[in-house]
Amino acid sequence: MDWGVNTAYKTYKGVEVEPKHMMDMTLIPSIDPIDIGLGSSEKGNAAPSAKPRKKTMTSVYLKFFETVPDGKSRRCKFCGQSYSIATATGNLGRHLANRHPGYDKSGDAAASTATAPQTTVIVKKSQPQGKAHQVDYDHLNWLLIRWLILASLPPSTLEEKWLVNSFRFLNPSIQLWPGDKYKAVFREVFRSMQEDVRLSLEQVSSKLSIILDFWTSYESFFYMSVTCQWIDESWSFRKVLLDICHIPYPCGDSEIYHSLEKVLENYNIENKVLSCTHDNSQNAIHACHTLKEKFDGQKAGPFCYIPCAARTLNLIIDDGLRTTKPVISRVREFALQLNECTDFSEDFIQFSMAYREGSWKFPVDTSARWSGSYQMLDIVHKAGKTMEAVVRKNGEKLGDRMILTATEKTAVSIVHGYLEPFYKTTNNMCTTKMPTIGLILFFMDHISEMITVCRESRHTPEWLKSAAEDMAKKARSYSSQVCNIFTYMTAILDPRIKCELIPENLNSENHLEEARAHFMRNYSTGHFPSVTSAYGAHEMEDGGSVSFAEEIARKKRRGSIVSATDELTQYLSEPPAPMPTDVLEWWKVNSTRYPRLSVMARDFLAVQATSVAPEELFCSKGDEIDKLRFSMPHDSTQAILCIKSWAQDGIKFKYRSTEIDYERLMELAAALVADNNVTSSDKKQK
């Protein structure tokens, strides 16, 4: 068959202590770290284990504070907040109640917290006897790490003098780590979180779908992202970034193949991969073909590589826009002026109301992507008089060159009408919760029909027919690449599509028989020792007790089902579900009816028709992603982009085996600011 920190925040404002230095926090692998619990310390902070005798209210508060060696202040044993020795005990009580709820019950647990398995990474050096406690600001560095990752900024950002001076202005005691230390922390966090991803993939029981995407940075480094997708046992669609790979020179198919092979080996998922969706480049196609040959040689199971439908459609649309691109550029310049100048946009709104040319909101989409280009066509087609009136009124600023001729307006109207179905199609692709192979093939078949109508119409101008010929070639090329048994099986398992809505060139009896053979060979009863029948629920309700006649009848029914049909035949015999149907929810509900076929559906429905999210290709969102990737320096690209993606997917920040509790750090940071404000207020009152 051909298968085409810190545990505590210390005050640094208004505390009368000797000049302080940074407490060392070693995060580079060459030094063994000491992990202590958030809000406690290994020594000195643990409350005595013996049960204290009953004391006055004053001593109840004071036992949670320690007097510093200079005798001028007290320090909270939980968080290290310092107060003047003359501070009223009521203020100390309010500090404990606000910052450490349940403090009266946590004294005995302070010591045990130090060795809890999920803690913030902290390393301290022993303090010399007789000296004041050192102030530790490493919590700030950990928060800066999170900021850099979420903002996708390289560690070199913190080497900017203005930023360093800003921190020093806030407090001279603050010291930032050197750049090399930030990079070492990033690498270690990357390795720790990557291991969690690998362990999570070991628990996946279904097949995996791989997606490849490529880009080049400002340093001319070529990168490949490898993303993995699957459907879990609760019928939820799951997605995780596996790696960002630097493809070495000459960046050909061999280099892509070896990089991809290494990623799959690192995660130990070679035997689970069912498909790979690429970006349509020849190098990616050849790399995927080499990977398929390897899997076929190992008899690892079916594997197929699929071109990106979204990128194909984007190229098709670009051919359709070819004639009107100069006009679109001028209209875009006009639209940018509307977005920037309130007077222009107000004039546009007033004129559009006067000419009854619709209601418009600003700013309009002026991106160079398909959504922005169609918006420019929309302005000319729906508000041509308004545009001309605004240009004439503000001729000195806008210039007469923005006034379109009658021929240009006619061409725009023709292209607008021709490409309107394309715009609706891309909108559907962008807004669909799960654009399956079956749905995308359905859309692409519709696009091919629109192109054919344009080519065969007597009213189509020659310049548009010429463009339509080029569009048709790209559509046929895509169709020839996806027309195989693999995509056929993936499409029919979409309950909205089945056999009824599959493109005609893909729908054949041979494909159906091959699909049936694959189903029976790989998802047969032998793979499911206990398959629930349609009668299991009744038998359970009857407590397993049925009449003799009913037992015979059920045996005959089962025999009839096995001999005359199977789950696939039964599934295809029913009419397709409505288009708004949630595919995964449908299978979740009907998995008891099709216990074997549902397992096959979990494998195949994870296969993606696009290598990039449609909204990132057709809409302005893609501009932000491209700018981010382009501007990222080489030494930070892999770690920052991967860690950010994993964190957004809910994977915890980790340094080695220790979780970094950023929520707790942020709570302590907020409390620190509040306490500093209280301390400053107390000083002013005195």
PDB file of all heavy atoms in Angstrom, residues 312-313 316 418 422 425 440-456 468 471-479 503 505:
ATOM      1  N   THR A 312      -0.394  26.872   0.266  1.00  0.00           N
ATOM      2  CA  THR A 312      -0.814  26.706  -1.131  1.00  0.00           C
ATOM      3  C   THR A 312      -1.899  27.712  -1.480  1.00  0.00           C
ATOM      4  O   THR A 312      -1.841  28.383  -2.525  1.00  0.00           O
ATOM      5  CB  THR A 312      -1.334  25.280  -1.370  1.00  0.00           C
ATOM      6  OG1 THR A 312      -0.305  24.336  -1.080  1.00  0.00           O
ATOM      7  CG2 THR A 312      -1.784  25.105  -2.808  1.00  0.00           C
ATOM      8  N   LEU A 313      -2.894  27.836  -0.605  1.00  0.00           N
ATOM      9  CA  LEU A 313      -3.996  28.773  -0.851  1.00  0.00           C
ATOM     10  C   LEU A 313      -3.485  30.208  -0.882  1.00  0.00           C
ATOM     11  O   LEU A 313      -3.969  31.031  -1.677  1.00  0.00           O
ATOM     12  CB  LEU A 313      -5.057  28.601   0.230  1.00  0.00           C
ATOM     13  CG  LEU A 313      -6.320  29.460   0.100  1.00  0.00           C
ATOM     14  CD1 LEU A 313      -6.961  29.281  -1.271  1.00  0.00           C
ATOM     15  CD2 LEU A 313      -7.314  29.101   1.198  1.00  0.00           C
ATOM     16  N   ILE A 316      -2.051  30.786  -4.244  1.00  0.00           N
ATOM     17  CA  ILE A 316      -3.138  30.874  -5.235  1.00  0.00           C
ATOM     18  C   ILE A 316      -3.762  32.266  -5.208  1.00  0.00           C
ATOM     19  O   ILE A 316      -3.994  32.895  -6.251  1.00  0.00           O
ATOM     20  CB  ILE A 316      -4.192  29.789  -4.946  1.00  0.00           C
ATOM     21  CG1 ILE A 316      -3.622  28.404  -5.259  1.00  0.00           C
ATOM     22  CG2 ILE A 316      -5.461  30.045  -5.746  1.00  0.00           C
ATOM     23  CD1 ILE A 316      -4.530  27.259  -4.856  1.00  0.00           C
ATOM     24  N   TYR A 418     -14.406  38.277  -7.581  1.00  0.00           N
ATOM     25  CA  TYR A 418     -13.830  36.958  -7.852  1.00  0.00           C
ATOM     26  C   TYR A 418     -13.232  36.339  -6.586  1.00  0.00           C
ATOM     27  O   TYR A 418     -13.380  35.126  -6.327  1.00  0.00           O
ATOM     28  CB  TYR A 418     -12.762  37.099  -8.940  1.00  0.00           C
ATOM     29  CG  TYR A 418     -11.956  35.849  -9.189  1.00  0.00           C
ATOM     30  CD1 TYR A 418     -12.573  34.617  -9.402  1.00  0.00           C
ATOM     31  CD2 TYR A 418     -10.568  35.896  -9.226  1.00  0.00           C
ATOM     32  CE1 TYR A 418     -11.824  33.468  -9.639  1.00  0.00           C
ATOM     33  CE2 TYR A 418      -9.809  34.758  -9.465  1.00  0.00           C
ATOM     34  CZ  TYR A 418     -10.450  33.546  -9.665  1.00  0.00           C
ATOM     35  OH  TYR A 418      -9.713  32.412  -9.901  1.00  0.00           O
ATOM     36  N   PHE A 422     -12.871  33.252  -1.797  1.00  0.00           N
ATOM     37  CA  PHE A 422     -11.577  32.910  -1.201  1.00  0.00           C
ATOM     38  C   PHE A 422     -11.468  33.529   0.196  1.00  0.00           C
ATOM     39  O   PHE A 422     -10.953  32.900   1.125  1.00  0.00           O
ATOM     40  CB  PHE A 422     -10.435  33.428  -2.081  1.00  0.00           C
ATOM     41  CG  PHE A 422     -10.345  32.763  -3.423  1.00  0.00           C
ATOM     42  CD1 PHE A 422     -11.264  33.017  -4.427  1.00  0.00           C
ATOM     43  CD2 PHE A 422      -9.317  31.868  -3.701  1.00  0.00           C
ATOM     44  CE1 PHE A 422     -11.174  32.409  -5.664  1.00  0.00           C
ATOM     45  CE2 PHE A 422      -9.212  31.247  -4.935  1.00  0.00           C
ATOM     46  CZ  PHE A 422     -10.144  31.511  -5.916  1.00  0.00           C
ATOM     47  N   THR A 425     -13.538  31.611   2.574  1.00  0.00           N
ATOM     48  CA  THR A 425     -12.887  30.331   2.869  1.00  0.00           C
ATOM     49  C   THR A 425     -11.781  30.505   3.906  1.00  0.00           C
ATOM     50  O   THR A 425     -11.691  29.741   4.875  1.00  0.00           O
ATOM     51  CB  THR A 425     -12.306  29.720   1.588  1.00  0.00           C
ATOM     52  OG1 THR A 425     -13.361  29.474   0.654  1.00  0.00           O
ATOM     53  CG2 THR A 425     -11.586  28.412   1.888  1.00  0.00           C
ATOM     54  N   ILE A 440     -10.492  20.779   5.244  1.00  0.00           N
ATOM     55  CA  ILE A 440      -9.608  21.564   4.373  1.00  0.00           C
ATOM     56  C   ILE A 440      -9.698  21.082   2.925  1.00  0.00           C
ATOM     57  O   ILE A 440      -9.726  21.895   1.988  1.00  0.00           O
ATOM     58  CB  ILE A 440      -8.158  21.484   4.876  1.00  0.00           C
ATOM     59  CG1 ILE A 440      -8.037  22.134   6.257  1.00  0.00           C
ATOM     60  CG2 ILE A 440      -7.218  22.153   3.890  1.00  0.00           C
ATOM     61  CD1 ILE A 440      -8.428  23.585   6.298  1.00  0.00           C
ATOM     62  N   LEU A 441      -9.756  19.768   2.718  1.00  0.00           N
ATOM     63  CA  LEU A 441      -9.923  19.255   1.354  1.00  0.00           C
ATOM     64  C   LEU A 441     -11.260  19.706   0.763  1.00  0.00           C
ATOM     65  O   LEU A 441     -11.355  19.998  -0.444  1.00  0.00           O
ATOM     66  CB  LEU A 441      -9.837  17.729   1.351  1.00  0.00           C
ATOM     67  CG  LEU A 441      -8.464  17.122   1.659  1.00  0.00           C
ATOM     68  CD1 LEU A 441      -8.548  15.595   1.666  1.00  0.00           C
ATOM     69  CD2 LEU A 441      -7.430  17.587   0.651  1.00  0.00           C
ATOM     70  N   PHE A 442     -12.270  19.768   1.590  1.00  0.00           N
ATOM     71  CA  PHE A 442     -13.589  20.264   1.162  1.00  0.00           C
ATOM     72  C   PHE A 442     -13.481  21.723   0.705  1.00  0.00           C
ATOM     73  O   PHE A 442     -14.013  22.109  -0.346  1.00  0.00           O
ATOM     74  CB  PHE A 442     -14.570  20.121   2.325  1.00  0.00           C
ATOM     75  CG  PHE A 442     -15.897  20.775   2.113  1.00  0.00           C
ATOM     76  CD1 PHE A 442     -16.835  20.223   1.264  1.00  0.00           C
ATOM     77  CD2 PHE A 442     -16.216  21.955   2.774  1.00  0.00           C
ATOM     78  CE1 PHE A 442     -18.079  20.828   1.075  1.00  0.00           C
ATOM     79  CE2 PHE A 442     -17.449  22.559   2.601  1.00  0.00           C
ATOM     80  CZ  PHE A 442     -18.383  22.004   1.744  1.00  0.00           C
ATOM     81  N   PHE A 443     -12.765  22.555   1.472  1.00  0.00           N
ATOM     82  CA  PHE A 443     -12.567  23.955   1.108  1.00  0.00           C
ATOM     83  C   PHE A 443     -11.726  24.090  -0.168  1.00  0.00           C
ATOM     84  O   PHE A 443     -12.055  24.886  -1.058  1.00  0.00           O
ATOM     85  CB  PHE A 443     -11.870  24.710   2.250  1.00  0.00           C
ATOM     86  CG  PHE A 443     -12.784  25.053   3.399  1.00  0.00           C
ATOM     87  CD1 PHE A 443     -12.315  25.039   4.707  1.00  0.00           C
ATOM     88  CD2 PHE A 443     -14.099  25.403   3.187  1.00  0.00           C
ATOM     89  CE1 PHE A 443     -13.137  25.359   5.768  1.00  0.00           C
ATOM     90  CE2 PHE A 443     -14.944  25.728   4.244  1.00  0.00           C
ATOM     91  CZ  PHE A 443     -14.463  25.702   5.543  1.00  0.00           C
ATOM     92  N   MET A 444     -10.654  23.322  -0.257  1.00  0.00           N
ATOM     93  CA  MET A 444      -9.778  23.422  -1.422  1.00  0.00           C
ATOM     94  C   MET A 444     -10.490  22.963  -2.692  1.00  0.00           C
ATOM     95  O   MET A 444     -10.244  23.508  -3.784  1.00  0.00           O
ATOM     96  CB  MET A 444      -8.515  22.596  -1.192  1.00  0.00           C
ATOM     97  CG  MET A 444      -7.613  23.110  -0.072  1.00  0.00           C
ATOM     98  SD  MET A 444      -6.974  24.778  -0.363  1.00  0.00           S
ATOM     99  CE  MET A 444      -5.767  24.460  -1.643  1.00  0.00           C
ATOM    100  N   ASP A 445     -11.372  21.997  -2.565  1.00  0.00           N
ATOM    101  CA  ASP A 445     -12.163  21.554  -3.713  1.00  0.00           C
ATOM    102  C   ASP A 445     -13.090  22.682  -4.170  1.00  0.00           C
ATOM    103  O   ASP A 445     -13.285  22.898  -5.376  1.00  0.00           O
ATOM    104  CB  ASP A 445     -12.962  20.312  -3.336  1.00  0.00           C
ATOM    105  CG  ASP A 445     -13.621  19.658  -4.536  1.00  0.00           C
ATOM    106  OD1 ASP A 445     -12.936  19.443  -5.551  1.00  0.00           O
ATOM    107  OD2 ASP A 445     -14.833  19.358  -4.470  1.00  0.00           O
ATOM    108  N   HIS A 446     -13.656  23.408  -3.221  1.00  0.00           N
ATOM    109  CA  HIS A 446     -14.512  24.557  -3.550  1.00  0.00           C
ATOM    110  C   HIS A 446     -13.698  25.634  -4.263  1.00  0.00           C
ATOM    111  O   HIS A 446     -14.181  26.238  -5.245  1.00  0.00           O
ATOM    112  CB  HIS A 446     -15.134  25.109  -2.266  1.00  0.00           C
ATOM    113  CG  HIS A 446     -15.930  26.360  -2.467  1.00  0.00           C
ATOM    114  ND1 HIS A 446     -17.090  26.407  -3.209  1.00  0.00           N
ATOM    115  CD2 HIS A 446     -15.721  27.632  -2.015  1.00  0.00           C
ATOM    116  CE1 HIS A 446     -17.569  27.642  -3.214  1.00  0.00           C
ATOM    117  NE2 HIS A 446     -16.754  28.398  -2.501  1.00  0.00           N
ATOM    118  N   ILE A 447     -12.489  25.874  -3.813  1.00  0.00           N
ATOM    119  CA  ILE A 447     -11.619  26.870  -4.452  1.00  0.00           C
ATOM    120  C   ILE A 447     -11.341  26.468  -5.905  1.00  0.00           C
ATOM    121  O   ILE A 447     -11.383  27.308  -6.823  1.00  0.00           O
ATOM    122  CB  ILE A 447     -10.301  27.004  -3.669  1.00  0.00           C
ATOM    123  CG1 ILE A 447     -10.548  27.671  -2.313  1.00  0.00           C
ATOM    124  CG2 ILE A 447      -9.261  27.768  -4.473  1.00  0.00           C
ATOM    125  CD1 ILE A 447     -11.053  29.084  -2.388  1.00  0.00           C
ATOM    126  N   SER A 448     -11.061  25.195  -6.129  1.00  0.00           N
ATOM    127  CA  SER A 448     -10.803  24.720  -7.490  1.00  0.00           C
ATOM    128  C   SER A 448     -12.014  24.942  -8.388  1.00  0.00           C
ATOM    129  O   SER A 448     -11.867  25.311  -9.569  1.00  0.00           O
ATOM    130  CB  SER A 448     -10.434  23.228  -7.463  1.00  0.00           C
ATOM    131  OG  SER A 448      -9.225  23.016  -6.758  1.00  0.00           O
ATOM    132  N   GLU A 449     -13.196  24.740  -7.860  1.00  0.00           N
ATOM    133  CA  GLU A 449     -14.417  24.969  -8.637  1.00  0.00           C
ATOM    134  C   GLU A 449     -14.556  26.440  -9.014  1.00  0.00           C
ATOM    135  O   GLU A 449     -14.949  26.775 -10.143  1.00  0.00           O
ATOM    136  CB  GLU A 449     -15.632  24.509  -7.838  1.00  0.00           C
ATOM    137  CG  GLU A 449     -15.719  22.999  -7.659  1.00  0.00           C
ATOM    138  CD  GLU A 449     -16.873  22.590  -6.768  1.00  0.00           C
ATOM    139  OE1 GLU A 449     -17.579  23.507  -6.270  1.00  0.00           O
ATOM    140  OE2 GLU A 449     -17.087  21.377  -6.571  1.00  0.00           O
ATOM    141  N   MET A 450     -14.246  27.359  -8.082  1.00  0.00           N
ATOM    142  CA  MET A 450     -14.335  28.800  -8.359  1.00  0.00           C
ATOM    143  C   MET A 450     -13.341  29.199  -9.459  1.00  0.00           C
ATOM    144  O   MET A 450     -13.659  30.027 -10.327  1.00  0.00           O
ATOM    145  CB  MET A 450     -14.038  29.594  -7.086  1.00  0.00           C
ATOM    146  CG  MET A 450     -15.052  29.430  -5.962  1.00  0.00           C
ATOM    147  SD  MET A 450     -16.718  29.996  -6.429  1.00  0.00           S
ATOM    148  CE  MET A 450     -17.507  28.421  -6.800  1.00  0.00           C
ATOM    149  N   ILE A 451     -12.159  28.620  -9.413  1.00  0.00           N
ATOM    150  CA  ILE A 451     -11.151  28.924 -10.438  1.00  0.00           C
ATOM    151  C   ILE A 451     -11.617  28.428 -11.801  1.00  0.00           C
ATOM    152  O   ILE A 451     -11.471  29.125 -12.821  1.00  0.00           O
ATOM    153  CB  ILE A 451      -9.796  28.283 -10.058  1.00  0.00           C
ATOM    154  CG1 ILE A 451      -9.253  28.906  -8.771  1.00  0.00           C
ATOM    155  CG2 ILE A 451      -8.789  28.440 -11.193  1.00  0.00           C
ATOM    156  CD1 ILE A 451      -8.007  28.230  -8.239  1.00  0.00           C
ATOM    157  N   THR A 452     -12.200  27.226 -11.842  1.00  0.00           N
ATOM    158  CA  THR A 452     -12.693  26.667 -13.103  1.00  0.00           C
ATOM    159  C   THR A 452     -13.798  27.534 -13.696  1.00  0.00           C
ATOM    160  O   THR A 452     -13.825  27.794 -14.919  1.00  0.00           O
ATOM    161  CB  THR A 452     -13.220  25.238 -12.871  1.00  0.00           C
ATOM    162  OG1 THR A 452     -12.161  24.422 -12.366  1.00  0.00           O
ATOM    163  CG2 THR A 452     -13.742  24.641 -14.168  1.00  0.00           C
ATOM    164  N   VAL A 453     -14.700  27.999 -12.852  1.00  0.00           N
ATOM    165  CA  VAL A 453     -15.789  28.871 -13.325  1.00  0.00           C
ATOM    166  C   VAL A 453     -15.217  30.143 -13.936  1.00  0.00           C
ATOM    167  O   VAL A 453     -15.683  30.612 -14.992  1.00  0.00           O
ATOM    168  CB  VAL A 453     -16.742  29.212 -12.158  1.00  0.00           C
ATOM    169  CG1 VAL A 453     -17.715  30.314 -12.562  1.00  0.00           C
ATOM    170  CG2 VAL A 453     -17.503  27.973 -11.716  1.00  0.00           C
ATOM    171  N   CYS A 454     -14.219  30.717 -13.301  1.00  0.00           N
ATOM    172  CA  CYS A 454     -13.601  31.949 -13.806  1.00  0.00           C
ATOM    173  C   CYS A 454     -12.937  31.706 -15.168  1.00  0.00           C
ATOM    174  O   CYS A 454     -13.076  32.519 -16.087  1.00  0.00           O
ATOM    175  CB  CYS A 454     -12.583  32.462 -12.797  1.00  0.00           C
ATOM    176  SG  CYS A 454     -11.647  33.915 -13.330  1.00  0.00           S
ATOM    177  N   ARG A 455     -12.247  30.593 -15.297  1.00  0.00           N
ATOM    178  CA  ARG A 455     -11.537  30.294 -16.544  1.00  0.00           C
ATOM    179  C   ARG A 455     -12.496  30.041 -17.699  1.00  0.00           C
ATOM    180  O   ARG A 455     -12.197  30.372 -18.857  1.00  0.00           O
ATOM    181  CB  ARG A 455     -10.638  29.077 -16.356  1.00  0.00           C
ATOM    182  CG  ARG A 455      -9.455  29.310 -15.423  1.00  0.00           C
ATOM    183  CD  ARG A 455      -8.806  27.998 -15.048  1.00  0.00           C
ATOM    184  NE  ARG A 455      -8.348  27.266 -16.219  1.00  0.00           N
ATOM    185  CZ  ARG A 455      -8.234  25.942 -16.290  1.00  0.00           C
ATOM    186  NH1 ARG A 455      -8.565  25.200 -15.241  1.00  0.00           N
ATOM    187  NH2 ARG A 455      -7.800  25.362 -17.387  1.00  0.00           N
ATOM    188  N   GLU A 456     -13.646  29.456 -17.413  1.00  0.00           N
ATOM    189  CA  GLU A 456     -14.568  29.060 -18.475  1.00  0.00           C
ATOM    190  C   GLU A 456     -15.621  30.115 -18.800  1.00  0.00           C
ATOM    191  O   GLU A 456     -16.353  29.977 -19.777  1.00  0.00           O
ATOM    192  CB  GLU A 456     -15.265  27.752 -18.077  1.00  0.00           C
ATOM    193  CG  GLU A 456     -14.300  26.569 -17.965  1.00  0.00           C
ATOM    194  CD  GLU A 456     -14.987  25.303 -17.512  1.00  0.00           C
ATOM    195  OE1 GLU A 456     -16.194  25.387 -17.154  1.00  0.00           O
ATOM    196  OE2 GLU A 456     -14.343  24.233 -17.512  1.00  0.00           O
ATOM    197  N   ALA A 468      -6.018  33.178 -13.492  1.00  0.00           N
ATOM    198  CA  ALA A 468      -6.729  31.969 -13.081  1.00  0.00           C
ATOM    199  C   ALA A 468      -6.011  30.706 -13.555  1.00  0.00           C
ATOM    200  O   ALA A 468      -6.062  29.666 -12.883  1.00  0.00           O
ATOM    201  CB  ALA A 468      -8.158  31.997 -13.611  1.00  0.00           C
ATOM    202  N   MET A 471      -3.387  30.058 -11.093  1.00  0.00           N
ATOM    203  CA  MET A 471      -4.021  29.598  -9.853  1.00  0.00           C
ATOM    204  C   MET A 471      -4.411  28.127  -9.972  1.00  0.00           C
ATOM    205  O   MET A 471      -4.245  27.346  -9.021  1.00  0.00           O
ATOM    206  CB  MET A 471      -5.255  30.456  -9.552  1.00  0.00           C
ATOM    207  CG  MET A 471      -4.943  31.929  -9.317  1.00  0.00           C
ATOM    208  SD  MET A 471      -6.426  32.980  -9.302  1.00  0.00           S
ATOM    209  CE  MET A 471      -7.080  32.637  -7.682  1.00  0.00           C
ATOM    210  N   ALA A 472      -4.909  27.741 -11.136  1.00  0.00           N
ATOM    211  CA  ALA A 472      -5.343  26.358 -11.348  1.00  0.00           C
ATOM    212  C   ALA A 472      -4.159  25.394 -11.286  1.00  0.00           C
ATOM    213  O   ALA A 472      -4.285  24.280 -10.766  1.00  0.00           O
ATOM    214  CB  ALA A 472      -6.055  26.241 -12.700  1.00  0.00           C
ATOM    215  N   LYS A 473      -3.007  25.813 -11.806  1.00  0.00           N
ATOM    216  CA  LYS A 473      -1.825  24.944 -11.765  1.00  0.00           C
ATOM    217  C   LYS A 473      -1.433  24.630 -10.323  1.00  0.00           C
ATOM    218  O   LYS A 473      -1.109  23.489  -9.980  1.00  0.00           O
ATOM    219  CB  LYS A 473      -0.661  25.614 -12.494  1.00  0.00           C
ATOM    220  CG  LYS A 473      -0.834  25.698 -14.005  1.00  0.00           C
ATOM    221  CD  LYS A 473       0.347  26.423 -14.647  1.00  0.00           C
ATOM    222  CE  LYS A 473       0.147  26.551 -16.154  1.00  0.00           C
ATOM    223  NZ  LYS A 473       1.265  27.318 -16.790  1.00  0.00           N
ATOM    224  N   LYS A 474      -1.451  25.632  -9.473  1.00  0.00           N
ATOM    225  CA  LYS A 474      -1.091  25.423  -8.065  1.00  0.00           C
ATOM    226  C   LYS A 474      -2.117  24.541  -7.363  1.00  0.00           C
ATOM    227  O   LYS A 474      -1.766  23.698  -6.529  1.00  0.00           O
ATOM    228  CB  LYS A 474      -0.953  26.768  -7.357  1.00  0.00           C
ATOM    229  CG  LYS A 474       0.239  27.592  -7.822  1.00  0.00           C
ATOM    230  CD  LYS A 474       0.313  28.906  -7.083  1.00  0.00           C
ATOM    231  CE  LYS A 474       1.591  29.666  -7.449  1.00  0.00           C
ATOM    232  NZ  LYS A 474       1.656  30.036  -8.858  1.00  0.00           N
ATOM    233  N   ALA A 475      -3.384  24.739  -7.704  1.00  0.00           N
ATOM    234  CA  ALA A 475      -4.428  23.921  -7.092  1.00  0.00           C
ATOM    235  C   ALA A 475      -4.281  22.456  -7.504  1.00  0.00           C
ATOM    236  O   ALA A 475      -4.438  21.544  -6.676  1.00  0.00           O
ATOM    237  CB  ALA A 475      -5.810  24.453  -7.478  1.00  0.00           C
ATOM    238  N   ARG A 476      -3.970  22.226  -8.794  1.00  0.00           N
ATOM    239  CA  ARG A 476      -3.797  20.843  -9.264  1.00  0.00           C
ATOM    240  C   ARG A 476      -2.564  20.198  -8.626  1.00  0.00           C
ATOM    241  O   ARG A 476      -2.573  19.010  -8.294  1.00  0.00           O
ATOM    242  CB  ARG A 476      -3.688  20.819 -10.795  1.00  0.00           C
ATOM    243  CG  ARG A 476      -4.991  21.061 -11.511  1.00  0.00           C
ATOM    244  CD  ARG A 476      -4.878  20.691 -12.990  1.00  0.00           C
ATOM    245  NE  ARG A 476      -3.899  21.546 -13.676  1.00  0.00           N
ATOM    246  CZ  ARG A 476      -4.218  22.676 -14.305  1.00  0.00           C
ATOM    247  NH1 ARG A 476      -5.482  23.087 -14.317  1.00  0.00           N
ATOM    248  NH2 ARG A 476      -3.293  23.381 -14.923  1.00  0.00           N
ATOM    249  N   SER A 477      -1.503  20.970  -8.471  1.00  0.00           N
ATOM    250  CA  SER A 477      -0.291  20.441  -7.848  1.00  0.00           C
ATOM    251  C   SER A 477      -0.565  20.000  -6.412  1.00  0.00           C
ATOM    252  O   SER A 477      -0.122  18.925  -5.985  1.00  0.00           O
ATOM    253  CB  SER A 477       0.815  21.501  -7.869  1.00  0.00           C
ATOM    254  OG  SER A 477       1.954  21.044  -7.163  1.00  0.00           O
ATOM    255  N   TYR A 478      -1.311  20.817  -5.675  1.00  0.00           N
ATOM    256  CA  TYR A 478      -1.650  20.443  -4.300  1.00  0.00           C
ATOM    257  C   TYR A 478      -2.516  19.190  -4.277  1.00  0.00           C
ATOM    258  O   TYR A 478      -2.286  18.268  -3.488  1.00  0.00           O
ATOM    259  CB  TYR A 478      -2.386  21.595  -3.614  1.00  0.00           C
ATOM    260  CG  TYR A 478      -2.934  21.233  -2.251  1.00  0.00           C
ATOM    261  CD1 TYR A 478      -2.113  21.217  -1.135  1.00  0.00           C
ATOM    262  CD2 TYR A 478      -4.279  20.880  -2.091  1.00  0.00           C
ATOM    263  CE1 TYR A 478      -2.604  20.873   0.120  1.00  0.00           C
ATOM    264  CE2 TYR A 478      -4.783  20.529  -0.851  1.00  0.00           C
ATOM    265  CZ  TYR A 478      -3.939  20.531   0.252  1.00  0.00           C
ATOM    266  OH  TYR A 478      -4.431  20.168   1.475  1.00  0.00           O
ATOM    267  N   SER A 479      -3.495  19.149  -5.164  1.00  0.00           N
ATOM    268  CA  SER A 479      -4.402  18.009  -5.210  1.00  0.00           C
ATOM    269  C   SER A 479      -3.656  16.713  -5.501  1.00  0.00           C
ATOM    270  O   SER A 479      -3.946  15.664  -4.911  1.00  0.00           O
ATOM    271  CB  SER A 479      -5.482  18.250  -6.270  1.00  0.00           C
ATOM    272  OG  SER A 479      -6.357  17.151  -6.359  1.00  0.00           O
ATOM    273  N   PRO A 503     -13.532  15.284  -2.133  1.00  0.00           N
ATOM    274  CA  PRO A 503     -13.332  15.642  -3.549  1.00  0.00           C
ATOM    275  C   PRO A 503     -13.440  14.420  -4.456  1.00  0.00           C
ATOM    276  O   PRO A 503     -13.022  13.313  -4.092  1.00  0.00           O
ATOM    277  CB  PRO A 503     -11.913  16.225  -3.562  1.00  0.00           C
ATOM    278  CG  PRO A 503     -11.721  16.755  -2.178  1.00  0.00           C
ATOM    279  CD  PRO A 503     -12.473  15.826  -1.281  1.00  0.00           C
ATOM    280  N   ASN A 505     -11.879  13.415  -7.105  1.00  0.00           N
ATOM    281  CA  ASN A 505     -10.666  12.710  -7.524  1.00  0.00           C
ATOM    282  C   ASN A 505     -10.071  11.856  -6.402  1.00  0.00           C
ATOM    283  O   ASN A 505      -9.188  11.040  -6.636  1.00  0.00           O
ATOM    284  CB  ASN A 505      -9.610  13.700  -8.024  1.00  0.00           C
ATOM    285  CG  ASN A 505      -9.195  14.690  -6.947  1.00  0.00           C
ATOM    286  OD1 ASN A 505      -9.892  14.878  -5.960  1.00  0.00           O
ATOM    287  ND2 ASN A 505      -8.072  15.339  -7.167  1.00  0.00           N
TER     288      ASN A 505
END
